Amino acid sequence: LPPGQLAYKDLNGRVGAHVEIITRNGTVRRGTLLAYSAYLSTMKLDPDQGGFVLTVPGDSVEAVHAIASESIAAGSPAVAAPTP
């Protein structure tokens, strides 16, 4: 995996962490991880992403990034999304 990128299964144990999930269809979702399973993850999106709770099927996840705390305050992700 590229630096800063996590495997989907690495979300296990990161409930409460701020993450960015990129889906196979190219959507980027950023927020706080509320729940994880091998099949689904639930996150509360950041306010600039709508602020609602969203469930993402595990098999639709292309990439996952952990977002550093200082980036949350600055309002930008710590890692850039990969260029298609």
Side-chain angles (χ1 to χ4, degrees), residues 3-84:
Q5 186 170 320
L6 305 170
Y8 177 73
K9 67 180 180 177
D10 293 334
L11 288 177
N12 190 21
R14 290 185 182 260
V15 171
H18 195 247
V19 297
E20 178 179 79
I21 293 178
I22 302 168
T23 65
R24 294 191 193 284
N25 66 3
T27 58
V28 178
R29 303 295 187 191
R30 203 171 43 254
T32 302
L33 185 64
L34 300 177
Y36 165 84
S37 80
Y39 307 104
L40 294 171
S41 283
T42 303
M43 58 193 306
K44 176 155 177 46
L45 298 179
D46 289 346
D48 66 332
Q49 298 248 315
F52 55 91
V53 174
L54 178 72
T55 300
V56 180
D59 62 358
S60 73
V61 175
E62 181 71 26
V64 177
H65 299 108
I67 306 297
S69 301
E70 59 272 8
S71 297
I72 298 168
S76 62
V79 246
T83 324

